Amino acid sequence: MSFVREIELASLGDSRGELVVLEENKNIPFDIKRVYYIYGVDPKIPRGFHAHKETKQVAICLSGQCTMLMDDGKNKVNVLMNSPKQGVLIDVMQWHEMHDFSEDCILMVLASDLYNESDYIRDYNTFKNLMDEKHV
Ligand code: TYD
């Protein structure tokens, strides 16, 4: 079984269209302190390449698609993100990279903490060493 936790977001759609609700500590498993979104990304340019020490996040692709590479230090899983009804939990200490953005991709991210650069691990070897120590 994969370590990646996907969250199925129910749509309250009807004949008029779709409606998805995001609620902290209900379908989003933390207090939502920050929301950001990424769009207009050159398909050739990947983003992310970091893990967080304490911040949890849920990513939702609102439009278009991209691939989220998730890495827990042992396993790497590619998740195709192509539905606004699909949430992907980026838990603490999960290295993640976003690749292959479509031109119309809008990737929204909900985060459990305000932006804090010291919460980032941006060096893969540092991340890998910390995870290897944890699993010894
Ligand atoms: P960066 O971490 O490089 O984005 P990505 O994860 O998509 O590769 O962030 C780009 C810039 O934006 C960087 O200077 C940090 C800044 N930033 C904030 O100020 N607040 C935020 O909430 C985020 C996510 C980034």
Side-chain angles (χ1 to χ4, degrees), residues 21-30 32:
V21 181
L22 309 172
E23 291 179 291
E24 61 184 8
N25 300 309
K26 288 195 172 176
N27 58 353
I28 302 302
F30 47 74
I32 302 166

Side-chain angles (χ1 to χ4, degrees), residues 34 36 38 47-48 50 98 115 117 120 122:
R34 177 168 54 108
Y36 60 93
I38 296 165
R47 302 189 62 125
H50 57 253
M98 290 87 85
Y115 175 72
E117 186 59 36
Y120 283 67
R122 291 191 184 270

Side-chain angles (χ1 to χ4, degrees), residues 10-105:
S11 173
L12 309 175
D14 58 26
S15 58
R16 298 167 299 170
E18 306 294 330
L19 188 158
V20 175
V21 181
L22 309 172
E23 291 179 291
E24 61 184 8
N25 300 309
K26 288 195 172 176
N27 58 353
I28 302 302
F30 47 74
D31 292 350
I32 302 166
K33 295 255 181 69
R34 177 168 54 108
V35 178
Y36 60 93
Y37 44 93
I38 296 165
Y39 65 98
V41 179
D42 183 327
K44 294 185 292 295
I45 301 189
R47 302 189 62 125
F49 295 85
H50 57 253
H52 289 279
K53 296 176 204 162
E54 292 184 2
T55 301
K56 294 179 184 176
Q57 302 187 101
V58 171
I60 303 163
C61 185
L62 297 181
S63 164
Q65 67 173 60
C66 66
T67 301
M68 180 79 74
L69 170 76
M70 302 285 291
D71 180 340
D72 69 353
K74 273 190 177 170
N75 308 289
K76 292 179 201 281
V77 178
N78 274 304
V79 183
L80 177 65
M81 302 197 63
N82 61 358
S83 166
K85 296 196 321 190
Q86 170 199 25
V88 173
L89 177 68
I90 304 168
D91 213 335
V92 295
M93 296 304 281
Q94 290 185 342
W95 186 266
H96 52 286
E97 302 172 8
M98 290 87 85
H99 295 265
D100 303 328
F101 284 86
S102 62
E103 279 176 11
D104 58 348
C105 182

